[in-house]
Amino acid sequence: MVRGAELSARKGRVSQMLNGQVALVTGAGRGIGKAIALRLQEAGARVVLNDIDEGNLRLARAEGIGVDAVVADVSVRSEVQAM
């Protein structure tokens, strides 16, 4: 069983695990991708959001998720290279 103090210590370590790292999250405009982006950000990463839907990216950014957002279709090689 995890006690309160131990749980707090774990949360502190997790929130610093990715300090100084950059994460690019595809499909970050909604759903699982958005949730992953939020968790990475909570762990200290600088998160760049990617999605094909600019509106969803705007909403995620308005919620304070990510430091930047890139509209691109990752199934199109030229769009990935442009990122």
Side-chain angles (χ1 to χ4, degrees):
M1 185 162 122
V2 177
R3 306 216 183 272
E6 184 180 345
L7 184 57
S8 292
R10 284 184 187 178
K11 283 184 179 180
R13 285 191 303 268
V14 169
S15 69
Q16 304 303 313
M17 285 177 59
L18 298 176
N19 275 353
Q21 301 297 309
V22 176
L24 170 64
V25 181
T26 61
R30 64 187 185 99
I32 294 171
K34 183 177 174 183
I36 290 169
L38 180 58
R39 294 293 290 168
L40 289 168
Q41 183 171 295
E42 289 171 348
R46 293 176 42 89
V47 179
V48 178
L49 310 177
N50 162 255
D51 203 288
I52 60 174
D53 187 315
E54 184 175 3
N56 284 339
L57 286 176
R58 283 188 193 158
L59 290 173
R61 289 290 296 125
E63 293 174 32
I65 302 171
V67 296
D68 199 3
V70 180
V71 177
D73 184 342
V74 296
S75 70
V76 178
R77 182 182 299 266
S78 62
E79 292 187 28
V80 171
Q81 291 171 335
M83 289 196 313

